[in-house]
Amino acid sequence: MNKKLLIVDDHEIIRVGLRKMLEGSGFEIVSEASTAAEAIEAVDRELPDVVLMDIRMEGGDGLNALGRMKLDHPDLPIVLFSAYDNPTYIARAVALGASGYVLKSAPRERLLEAINTAVAGESAWTRVERRRVTGALATPRLSQDIEVPLTQRESEVLRQMALGLTNKEIAKMLGISYETVKEHVQHILRKIGVSDRTQAAVWAVRKNLV
């Protein structure tokens, strides 16, 4: 019996390609969604066995949708499918309970392997991906309820870092210089006791800043 799969992507050409790619794979695509809101409704309506979901979408963030789905359906396997090899995205995906993360540039075999592994109730994260976040998850301050005196501006910068924005993008969004953003990032990493943006993203997720 085929497993029920929900595809979530805001580009029709991607959804059509996935449908073609997954023909004969043992999965029945029970529904497609182009926004986070549609995806959440489709999960409640179709009760799929597994979800394959994009991250950057018009009208909603796939990572926020992941968090919402996991609240209502904690055992639902969700594999993120993204064009962005972004460590902060990966960190948030791990923290929010995604079963795996596959790049859109990956071969068909990798995508099928991830979906099959996830639907079997196992982790579809690769060894390399796990290594990228292991240090973050083991950071002492992440497991302790320590108040960190971030300024309002530092909190704003950290929130944007955790959403996957680069220093240049943060500078443009907040209307400050690139050099100022770099200084804020250095202060943030030092204050919260982590060594890179991935660890900072995990910290921000666990502190409910994003």
Side-chain angles (χ1 to χ4, degrees), residues 5-183:
L5 171 67
L6 167 66
I7 291 176
V8 186
D9 197 291
D10 61 343
H11 292 101
E12 183 181 9
I13 194 168
I14 297 291
R15 300 196 304 273
V16 170
L18 286 170
R19 187 175 284 277
K20 188 73 175 173
M21 184 184 291
L22 294 169
E23 283 180 359
S25 65
F27 291 97
E28 175 193 358
I29 300 173
V30 292
S31 188
E32 296 178 9
S34 60
T35 68
E38 286 179 7
I40 292 165
E41 289 177 6
V43 165
D44 292 336
R45 182 180 68 248
E46 303 290 348
L47 298 177
D49 296 304
V50 60
V51 175
L52 181 63
M53 182 163 60
D54 191 14
I55 292 179
R56 283 195 180 182
M57 295 184 289
E58 295 268 338
D61 179 347
L63 287 162
N64 290 336
L66 164 66
R68 171 70 183 277
M69 289 175 185
K70 280 300 199 178
L71 278 176
D72 297 335
H73 307 274
D75 297 326
L76 174 64
I78 301 172
V79 176
L80 294 176
F81 187 54
S82 177
Y84 301 94
D85 184 15
N86 186 315
T88 53
Y89 286 174
I90 292 171
R92 288 186 68 206
V94 169
L96 291 168
S99 296
Y101 190 107
V102 180
L103 291 175
K104 290 183 177 179
S105 58
R108 178 177 185 268
E109 292 71 24
R110 165 62 186 143
L111 179 61
L112 286 174
E113 177 190 28
I115 298 172
N116 277 300
T117 302
V119 84
E122 301 172 9
S123 170
W125 293 94
T126 66
R127 190 179 300 119
V128 172
E129 289 161 349
R130 283 200 204 96
R131 194 180 304 127
R132 290 173 75 177
V133 296
T134 296
L137 297 172
T139 300
R141 284 202 178 191
L142 291 177
S143 58
Q144 299 174 23
D145 189 19
I146 298 174
E147 287 300 317
V148 177
L150 296 178
T151 66
Q152 182 177 346
R153 181 62 89 188
E154 287 168 350
S155 294
E156 291 172 347
V157 170
L158 174 57
R159 193 174 298 113
Q160 301 309 318
M161 283 169 58
L163 290 172
L165 272 66
T166 64
N167 285 357
K168 189 175 292 185
E169 290 170 330
I170 294 170
K172 185 176 181 180
M173 173 166 283
L174 299 181
I176 56 180
S177 73
Y178 174 77
E179 292 301 324
T180 299
V181 172
K182 278 180 64 177
E183 286 183 18

